[in-house]
Amino acid sequence: MKSIHKKMIAECIGTFTLVFGGCGTAVFAGGSVGFLGVAIAFGLTVVAMAYGIGHISGAHLNPAVSFGCYVNGRMTGKEMGSYWIAQIIGASLAAAILWMIVKCTGSTPGDFAANGYGSEFYKGAAGYANCDAVGAFIIEMVLTFIFLMVILGSTDSKGAGLHAGLAIGLTLVLIHLISIPLTNTSVNPARSFSQCLFSENALAWKQLWLFFVAPLCGAGLAGLCYKLFQKDSK
């Protein structure tokens, strides 16, 4: 099997696990574990996959991460495209299985674990803030920037080494704690797209563009910024 095919399979499995574990917790246990529990679930899936498949594909699990790595010069455009396909497929498969399980419980998907912003999206749900499109864009872009800086730094040859997965996972927990009340936390276009497929909230599709553009902008900026540190360290 070609190396790129192995990497695509790994990314598919890894992104499946991220969505199944993180969004699954939000859908089935969110009311019990709260925002903190959901944040920890997303962080744990990243830690698990970092050590499970990181040596195969780098465990990007996220088109924005792959884009940041591409801008930073760590992968080619062709490799990035292959990763994107695998990530979207993995996320969508996980969402489909979660939807089937919801149906088996006799419930309806409702919002599912879709990303969105504003009072019309959350309709007064407890704990959510009334954030407009500008605020949602800023928080998603800034948090994705921070996420990529941690990823690029911890996986650098001079970075955290074997502890990189833990650093990345804990950063994702922090990111979710900050932004779940604002956007339900995306920083990951594949995660957002997968939930739109089964969400009954009509605004999910209308607002989806933001959860592609903002994370990609943040990731791209981080990729460029980290190049400056690499030049200074030479």
Side-chain angles (χ1 to χ4, degrees), residues 27 49 75 90 105 130 135 141 144 147 166 172 175 185 215:
V27 170
M49 289 299 100
M75 67 190 314
T105 66
N130 183 16
M141 183 175 70
T144 309
F147 192 38
L166 186 59
L172 191 59
I175 285 170
T185 309

Side-chain angles (χ1 to χ4, degrees), residues 22-225:
C23 293
T25 300
V27 170
F28 298 118
S32 301
V33 302
F35 292 166
L36 175 60
V38 174
I40 291 173
F42 273 100
L44 287 176
T45 59
V46 168
V47 172
M49 289 299 100
Y51 293 112
I53 64 168
H55 63 289
I56 301 171
S57 68
H60 292 188
L61 321 179
N62 181 342
V65 173
S66 299
F67 182 64
C69 289
Y70 164 71
V71 172
N72 189 249
R74 298 192 185 188
M75 67 190 314
T76 67
K78 184 177 180 179
E79 288 174 325
M80 181 185 71
S82 299
Y83 272 46
W84 281 11
I85 292 170
Q87 291 155 357
I88 292 290
I89 291 173
S92 300
L93 286 173
I97 293 177
L98 289 175
W99 177 82
M100 286 189 286
I101 296 172
V102 168
K103 288 296 186 180
C104 289
T105 66
S107 303
T108 58
D111 291 346
F112 215 41
N115 296 113
Y117 54 86
S119 58
E120 290 185 19
F121 190 93
Y122 294 109
K123 300 175 184 177
Y128 286 93
N130 183 16
C131 183
D132 62 15
V134 174
F137 193 98
I138 291 171
I139 196 68
E140 287 288 329
M141 183 175 70
V142 170
L143 290 179
T144 309
F145 174 87
I146 293 170
F147 192 38
L148 263 294
M149 290 299 290
V150 172
I151 291 171
L152 293 171
S154 62
T155 58
D156 195 312
S157 59
K158 299 179 180 179
L162 293 175
H163 300 295
L166 186 59
I168 294 166
L170 289 175
T171 302
L172 191 59
V173 172
L174 173 63
I175 285 170
H176 277 77
L177 290 176
I178 295 169
S179 58
I180 288 178
L182 301 173
T183 63
N184 222 21
T185 309
S186 174
V187 301
N188 185 336
R191 172 256 189 271
S192 297
F193 174 78
S194 71
Q195 300 306 293
C196 271
L197 292 174
F198 302 98
S199 175
E200 294 179 343
N201 191 328
L203 286 176
W205 282 109
K206 293 180 181 179
Q207 297 181 355
L208 180 62
W209 68 270
L210 187 146
F211 300 105
F212 272 73
V213 178
L216 291 175
C217 286
L221 286 172
L224 291 173
C225 182

